[in-house]
Every structure is written in structure tokens, then in C-alpha cells.
Amino acid sequence: CAPGGPVALGCALVAGGVAWLATDWALLSLDEALNRDEMEQELRVSLAAMREELETDMMAAWDRAIERQYAGMRQQITATFRPLDASAGGR
């Protein structure tokens, strides 16, 4: 970069950036090679736990929805069909 004169600063910045990116890429590749299997296993365990939690939450939500539906049906049946009340009122 030195023979470039005024362009030396730009050249140095570009060279430094390229060196930084190359070093970062090399370190990330090394980290991946050393820790990939462990990280994948941790992700699998985490995803399995999240799936189990989601299934539990979904089943609870369905149970609540079904209970509300049946409660509404019971209330409607109780309000519209009371044979003892109908026979007592007719006497």
C-alpha cells in the first residue's frame, strides 16, 4: 500500500477489512468444527422441550374450549327443558 501515496490509507483500510473478515471466518469455521455436534444436540433437546410444552398448552386450550362448549350446552338444555317445572306449572 505504501507506493500508492495518498491512496495508501484506503488500501490499508481494505487490506485490514479483508484480514479481519478472513480471520473471523477462520475462527468461526474452527468453532463450528469443534462444537457443532454439541450445539446440534442442545438444539434438539431444546426443540423437544418446546414441542412438549406447546402440546401441553394446546391440549389445555382445547380442554378449556370443550368445557365452555359443554357448559353452554348444559345451560341451554337446563333453561329449555325442565320436565318437573313444566308439570308443576300445569297443575
Side-chain angles (χ1 to χ4, degrees):
C1 289
V7 183
L9 179 61
C11 178
L13 289 175
V14 170
V18 169
W20 173 49
L21 289 174
T23 303
D24 193 37
W25 176 80
L27 289 174
L28 286 173
S29 297
L30 177 65
D31 184 50
E32 178 185 1
L34 295 175
N35 300 316
R36 182 181 184 121
D37 293 334
E38 180 182 334
M39 186 178 72
E40 283 181 353
Q41 183 61 28
E42 289 175 4
L43 286 173
R44 283 188 181 99
V45 168
S46 177
L47 285 173
M50 286 176 62
R51 180 180 180 150
E52 186 175 321
E53 182 181 347
L54 179 62
E55 287 176 357
T56 301
D57 291 347
M58 291 291 290
M59 290 302 292
W62 276 107
D63 287 343
R64 287 191 301 271
I66 289 170
E67 184 58 38
R68 282 194 305 269
Q69 180 69 26
Y70 282 137
M73 291 168 54
R74 280 192 297 266
Q75 182 181 12
Q76 185 178 13
I77 289 170
T78 302
T80 59
F81 182 70
R82 292 193 176 202
L84 293 176
D85 291 343
S87 64
R91 290 187 182 176

